[in-house]
Amino acid sequence: MKHNEAETQGFIQMMRTDPDLNGLSDDELGMILLKMKMFQVGMSVMVANELLPDHYTEEQMIQLLNSAAEDVISAAKRSTEQS
């Protein structure tokens, strides 16, 4: 699916309502969104091609996505604080 700027801006608007993302710029939110899309697409490819360990459940994949999101957000906040 091609990049859709209007869709991206809509997601950034939704992200602004999340208290955990408070204080981050639109550019930073956009980067978080892009990183998470890349991670999710990569995971989807791995699932589709049966490249994950057999014992990985859907719940574990959701937890992994949540953990990655927390890591990306933490890194963005640290970067903002250092600026």
Side-chain angles (χ1 to χ4, degrees), residues 5-6 9 15 19 24-25 27 30 33 35-36 39-40 43 47 49-50 54 56 60 65 72 75 78-79 81-82:
E5 188 59 33
Q9 289 305 314
M15 292 168 76
L24 297 174
S25 70
D27 287 342
L33 181 60
K35 287 178 180 180
M36 289 310 302
F39 186 83
Q40 183 270 325
M43 180 182 276
V47 169
N49 290 293
E50 299 178 358
D54 291 335
Y56 257 69
Q60 287 173 309
L65 284 166
V72 170
R78 277 194 309 272
S79 177
E81 290 169 0
Q82 292 173 355

Side-chain angles (χ1 to χ4, degrees), residues 1-81:
M1 180 185 250
K2 287 191 174 191
H3 176 75
N4 180 325
E5 188 59 33
E7 181 181 80
T8 298
Q9 289 305 314
F11 283 128
I12 288 172
Q13 291 295 329
M14 284 189 274
M15 292 168 76
R16 280 194 193 135
T17 66
D18 187 326
D20 289 335
L21 302 174
N22 200 17
L24 297 174
S25 70
D26 283 1
D27 287 342
E28 291 164 328
L29 294 174
M31 187 55 65
I32 289 170
L33 181 60
L34 179 61
K35 287 178 180 180
M36 289 310 302
K37 281 183 177 182
M38 294 170 111
F39 186 83
Q40 183 270 325
V41 168
M43 180 182 276
S44 297
V45 168
M46 291 181 77
V47 169
N49 290 293
E50 299 178 358
L51 299 173
L52 290 177
D54 291 335
H55 67 277
Y56 257 69
T57 64
E58 185 175 339
E59 181 60 33
Q60 287 173 309
M61 286 182 261
I62 291 169
Q63 289 174 354
L64 184 59
L65 284 166
N66 285 334
S67 175
E70 289 172 5
D71 293 345
V72 170
I73 291 167
S74 292
K77 285 183 173 182
R78 277 194 309 272
S79 177
T80 299
E81 290 169 0

